Amino acid sequence: MDAAQRGTTTTVVAGTCHHDCPDSCGWEVTVTDGVAIKMRGRSDHPYSYGELCPKVNRFLDRVYSPDRILHPLRRSGPKGSGEFEPISWDDALATIADRLHAVIAEHGPEAVLPFSDAGNQSLLSIQGLDGRFFNHMGASRLVRAICGPTVGHGVRMTNGSGLGLDPMELVHSRLILLWATNTRLTNRHLWPVIERARAAGAKVVVIDPMRTITADAADEFVQPRPGTDIALMLAMMHVLIRDGLVDREWVGAHTVGFDELAAHVADWTPTRAAEICGVDADVIVRLATDYGTIRPAAIRTLIGGEHHENGAMFYRTIAVLPALVGAWADRGGGLARSVGSYQDALVDDDALGRPDLLAGRGPRWLNMSRLGEALTDPDLDPPIKAMVVWNSNPLVIVPNAERTRAGLARDDLFTVVHEQFLTDSARYADVVLPATTQIEATDVVPAWGHLWMGWNEAAIAPVGESCSNTELFRRLAGAMSYDEPSLFDSDEELLAQALPKVDLDELRTVGWVRVPYPEDGRAWGSGEFPSPSGKVELVSTTLEAMGQPALPTFVPPREGPHGDAELAARYPLQLMTPKHHTRFLNSSYSALPKHGPAEGAPFLELDAADAAARSLAEGDVARVWNDRAELELPVRITSRLRPGLAAIPFGWWMTHHADGKAANSLTNDTLTEWGGGVAFSDTLVEVAAASADEV
Ligand SMILES: Nc1nc2c(c(=O)[nH]1)N[C@H]1C(S)=C(S)[C@@H](COP(=O)(O)OP(=O)(O)OC[C@H]3O[C@@H](n4cnc5c(=O)[nH]c(N)nc54)[C@H](O)[C@@H]3O)O[C@H]1N2
Ligand SMILES: Nc1nc2c(c(=O)[nH]1)N[C@H]1C(S)=C(S)[C@@H](COP(=O)(O)OP(=O)(O)OC[C@H]3O[C@@H](n4cnc5c(=O)[nH]c(N)nc54)[C@H](O)[C@@H]3O)O[C@H]1N2
Ligand code: SF4
Ligand SMILES: [Mo]
């Protein structure tokens, strides 16, 4: 019997991946009688061409997981215990409204903290109604800069704009520097573009402290100490200038401050940089020579360089390189980073967020990367008394996690978490509310790794009693008895307000729309830049006015081998906590049975010499600690790391670690010098055998 004979209905519904991933792949879901039975990549998608990834190939396991939260829950045991009992939506909303009203009455609305990230980066899900709701309330606001904004700030100090090369243009490049990005893992659908360039003769160089799977596939691999690339870049500039490899004509027409820069890098010899970066001077000379002689030359980066105390300066400095060699003049030349800002041409952020609802109040801003501090600082006035969390798993993803845990454990903090699963963070909630997945709500996905904005049609009804992020805020507004009409706008109304220039019917029918980008493929082909001087600012008066160095300058991270000597003596290893597992997307999949166990379990990686010096062998249990926390983990000996580094892959929940902590229990929550980012990767630790006495 086929489907028709059984009286069943089968449809195929097209959508777009919502994950915080540059690829924003297109998919199609086969639905029979309201149940999704198959999901696969959409073969005509202009970027992903039918392929998804090892995380999302099993997305229906996530949708129909027996562990999914399908009903509101109220905590019945101690915070963190994971003990909850089901309650109705009405009871949950009444409880939340009572508690929020009480907090606001006693401490004012800034005692409420919204906390979210890009767990679902579709437009309505990430900024649909939450901005209006919390603006109307007058709550504290969150600086959402754990990923990306620092890169944009850095590049903007040089170019006056964060806009860069469309990564698809790399097909025209003949030299590709993959700098602080692990393309084959984190941006896998770009790799075929790079392979096409390579087939046409391009050379691919990876610059990363870790020998990643991308480094394995490169023509050349340069392995600096983390946090030292600025010194490497300054030495490259030194060589370019010394050896006459600068495009003098382009520099003369389109930059300011060349003479000051030349004087500034005169003593940044390759030998000096080599000492700091741990990269041989002749390798630096070769890298600079390739960069100055092979055209078109592209630098591709995402966010790996920003997670350092000097992360903003990393990107301000890297943006100087294309200017020196005139790379922007060539098709396939320049700097390719997130292209999310190109979507801004189509999205009206204020129409969605409605800053006017603040009605003249200036809200307090708190940085998400300092959540632990915000929740435990005795001097914070008003203190945070209530928190609403959605689209994020803060306890696992924010640095200095044990401080976050101490905050979440406070009895006088009221926490609401809107989630699909009982994450480590949700275990600390007073009320947990069930969230839909991407195939259960219609939305639009602005991509940041390519130039297509995608439509996502709901394929099935919300599973259980789950609701989308916009529906959550409509319900909360109702429960709070708010009467501001725009808090109740429908998703259709919100999309029309947010995307006034987009033909939504066409977007829905085609599945995507291309955002505006220069026709000739060159991001800055005109050589005109929107900086104060209209040129590339090798010297930046904006930075100077901010009290920062006007010229690209290497300042060693305080928590690093060249920083605080006393700290570095106590904690001689630098800890990396990278994205590493092909089946994980941040912390989103480690709890699923066909994802987590297939990746094994958490471990600590060490170079053979560092392990031997501590009498550690493969499989031994090690203690790894610093002033923030101590973890016990099995050791893996690896050749991926430079000596002096240790690594604990990021993404495992605390509940997957034997001692209930995770990589971020150890990491540094110092903010970047400007730009609001955070220095995860400037973390120093010491390691010893678990049985050994503390040294
Ligand atoms: N499979 C998978 N894909 C993902 C994700 C995931 O969790 N899993 N996460 C998604 C998200 S949210 C993002 S933002 C992107 C991020 O994409 P990427 O930026 O490509 O990824 P990261 O792993 O954060 O950092 C890239 C590399 O930077 C290196 N790095 C760190 N410090 C330094 C330094 O000082 N100098 C240099 N040269 N390199 C350094 C790290 O060793 C790492 O290999 O990936 C997305 N894609
Ligand atoms: N040590 C270390 N820490 C890191 C990083 C690192 O490389 N190393 N990377 C950093 C980076 S780049 C990023 S972007 C952050 C990522 O941090 P997060 O964005 O917090 O990432 P996830 O851990 O995947 O958590 C997203 C959560 O949102 C939920 N979710 C998904 N869709 C929806 C929805 O529609 N509605 C609601 N309410 N919830 C939904 C998922 O179930 C999931 O639990 O982590 C940062 N932290
Ligand atoms: S997580 Fe990234 S690679 Fe995987 S399907 Fe989604 S957008 Fe594509
Ligand atoms: Mo990210």
Side-chain angles (χ1 to χ4, degrees):
M1 260 196 327
D2 65 19
Q5 285 170 306
R6 284 199 310 268
T8 56
T9 336
T10 295
T11 50
V12 176
V13 184
T16 304
C17 184
H18 62 295
H19 278 306
D20 188 357
C21 168
D23 293 1
S24 300
C25 299
W27 67 39
E28 40 191 37
V29 186
T30 306
V31 182
T32 296
D33 288 346
V35 177
I37 55 165
K38 194 163 93 181
M39 180 163 156
R40 60 174 194 195
R42 186 172 166 178
S43 57
D44 57 346
H45 189 273
Y47 188 72
S48 55
Y49 291 106
E51 195 211 38
L52 297 174
C53 70
K55 300 146 264 176
V56 173
N57 279 333
R58 292 183 180 277
F59 194 71
L60 297 184
D61 288 0
R62 185 174 181 92
V63 174
Y64 295 118
S65 165
D67 294 334
R68 229 184 112 178
I69 300 168
L70 296 178
H71 306 283
L73 302 170
R74 175 171 43 212
R75 188 166 55 79
S76 56
K79 290 197 175 191
S81 66
E83 293 164 32
F84 290 90
E85 59 195 18
I87 48 169
S88 68
W89 262 102
D90 284 346
D91 285 350
L93 289 169
T95 305
I96 295 168
D98 281 355
R99 288 296 299 265
L100 292 184
H101 278 308
V103 163
I104 292 167
E106 192 177 346
H107 302 278
E110 288 182 332
V112 179
L113 179 67
F115 190 101
S116 66
D117 201 36
N120 183 334
Q121 64 175 0
S122 314
L123 197 57
L124 295 180
S125 300
I126 199 171
Q127 60 180 110
L129 276 172
D130 52 288
R132 292 181 188 184
F133 178 80
F134 290 109
N135 281 343
H136 180 74
M137 179 185 282
S140 287
R141 299 309 306 269
L142 194 72
V143 179
R144 285 207 280 205
I146 213 161
C147 169
T150 310
V151 179
H153 279 290
V155 173
R156 201 170 302 121
M157 291 303 155
T158 301
N159 290 344
S161 162
L163 295 177
L165 187 64
D166 171 9
M168 298 286 274
E169 289 289 317
L170 294 185
V171 74
H172 301 290
S173 313
R174 289 301 167 263
L175 178 68
I176 300 174
L177 307 186
L178 299 173
W179 205 322
T181 184
N182 187 1
T183 312
R184 288 178 70 215
L185 180 79
T186 62
N187 186 193
R188 56 185 287 131
H189 294 90
L190 184 62
W191 190 251
V193 177
I194 293 171
E195 285 289 20
R196 267 159 60 208
R198 233 176 169 182
K203 176 172 181 179
V204 176
V205 182
V206 166
I207 306 173
D208 195 306
M210 304 188 63
R211 181 180 287 279
T212 60
I213 54 172
T214 311
D216 283 336
D219 298 304
E220 196 170 326
F221 173 45
V222 177
Q223 196 171 17
R225 291 193 183 102
T228 66
D229 301 60
I230 297 165
L232 176 63
M233 296 170 201
L234 294 173
M236 283 175 71
M237 294 176 201
H238 173 99
V239 174
L240 291 172
I241 294 170
R242 181 193 73 191
D243 295 354
L245 301 176
V246 167
D247 184 333
R248 297 304 287 242
E249 198 179 314
W250 201 92
V251 165
H254 305 297
T255 71
V256 289
F258 179 74
D259 291 342
E260 287 106 305
L261 182 75
H264 177 66
V265 300
D267 56 3
W268 271 102
T269 60
T271 315
R272 177 177 171 197
E275 290 267 302
I276 293 168
C277 309
V279 174
D280 288 348
D282 55 348
V283 172
I284 301 177
V285 174
R286 190 169 66 236
L287 184 62
T289 308
D290 278 351
Y291 192 65
T293 53
I294 304 175
R295 292 179 84 144
I299 298 173
R300 167 64 170 168
T301 186
L302 284 174
I303 57 105
E306 94 168 41
H307 287 152
H308 292 277
E309 294 174 20
N310 54 19
M313 184 59 95
F314 177 111
Y315 288 99
R316 182 274 191 272
T317 307
I318 208 170
V320 167
L321 290 168
L324 291 184
V325 299
W328 295 112
D330 303 331
R331 182 154 199 189
L335 176 65
R337 53 167 295 255
S338 160
V339 286
S341 305
Y342 285 105
Q343 309 264 346
D344 293 352
L346 300 184
V347 182
D348 187 340
D349 288 323
D350 285 354
L352 271 182
R354 293 288 303 276
D356 58 293
L357 294 178
L358 279 166
R361 293 167 296 184
R364 170 174 70 181
W365 287 88
L366 294 168
N367 192 302
M368 66 186 294
S369 298
R370 306 290 297 222
L371 178 62
E373 177 184 52
L375 295 179
T376 57
D377 177 359
D379 297 325
L380 192 69
D381 182 26
I384 301 303
K385 289 287 187 179
M387 186 158 73
V388 180
V389 180
W390 72 103
N391 256 359
S392 183
N393 184 5
L395 187 52
V396 178
I397 66 106
V398 172
N400 200 2
E402 296 310 313
R403 193 156 181 201
T404 309
R405 186 203 302 278
L408 290 175
R410 271 172 44 201
D411 276 331
D412 64 333
L413 177 74
F414 178 69
T415 306
V416 179
V417 174
H418 183 232
E419 249 299 352
Q420 297 161 352
F421 290 89
L422 199 59
T423 60
D424 293 335
S425 309
R427 293 167 82 92
Y428 282 82
D430 295 281
V431 177
V432 180
L433 298 170
T436 43
T437 70
Q438 185 73 344
I439 67 166
E440 296 155 56
T442 295
D443 213 328
V444 164
V445 186
W448 51 276
H450 58 72
L451 296 169
W452 286 276
M453 177 182 275
W455 183 266
N456 180 68
E457 185 73 24
I460 57 170
V463 177
E465 291 186 286
S466 65
C467 77
S468 69
N469 296 0
T470 43
E471 180 58 17
L472 167 73
F473 287 103
R474 281 188 287 266
R475 290 183 190 184
L476 289 178
M480 296 293 286
S481 306
Y482 289 161
D483 55 10
E484 161 57 38
S486 69
L487 301 182
F488 301 93
D489 284 352
S490 69
D491 288 358
E492 291 72 24
E493 288 167 323
L494 289 168
L495 285 178
Q497 292 157 13
L499 300 166
K501 298 178 197 152
V502 176
D503 180 337
L504 292 174
D505 289 332
E506 193 189 326
L507 175 54
R508 180 181 228 140
T509 313
V510 177
W512 48 80
V513 62
R514 191 172 157 89
V515 304
Y517 180 83
E519 293 269 319
D520 70 356
R522 300 179 305 162
W524 298 109
S526 70
E528 285 165 27
F529 290 81
S531 66
S533 62
K535 299 183 176 191
V536 175
E537 307 214 318
L538 308 179
V539 175
S540 163
T541 48
T542 311
L543 276 176
E544 195 166 32
M546 285 161 55
Q548 298 292 336
L551 284 154
T553 301
F554 173 62
V555 178
R558 191 193 70 88
E559 185 164 338
H562 306 286
D564 182 327
E566 186 270 332
L567 202 60
R570 267 196 297 148
Y571 300 121
L573 296 172
Q574 184 157 4
L575 180 73
M576 308 296 281
T577 53
K579 303 165 180 80
H580 172 65
H581 299 296
T582 53
R583 291 179 187 78
F584 291 3
L585 193 288
N586 300 323
S587 83
S588 280
Y589 286 92
S590 54
L592 289 183
K594 296 208 173 108
H595 291 75
E599 298 283 5
F603 54 87
L604 170 76
E605 286 178 296
L606 286 176
D607 168 73
D610 288 323
R614 291 164 177 79
S615 308
L616 283 164
E618 178 81 16
D620 286 355
V621 177
R623 272 185 321 124
V624 46
W625 76 95
N626 58 21
D627 291 345
R628 297 183 198 95
E630 176 177 317
L631 269 69
E632 289 199 0
L633 286 165
V635 170
R636 264 199 208 173
I637 311 290
T638 179
S639 56
R640 299 203 308 139
L641 298 175
R642 312 179 40 106
L645 296 193
I648 304 174
F650 160 70
W652 293 99
W653 289 5
M654 294 176 157
T655 34
H656 299 130
H657 286 254
D659 48 11
K661 294 171 203 155
N664 273 325
S665 298
L666 292 160
T667 51
N668 184 358
D669 61 355
T670 303
L671 297 184
T672 53
E673 68 285 51
W674 81 87
V678 73
F680 289 106
S681 306
D682 295 330
T683 294
L684 295 179
V685 295
E686 179 54 301
V687 171
S691 51
D693 292 332
E694 188 151 342
V695 281

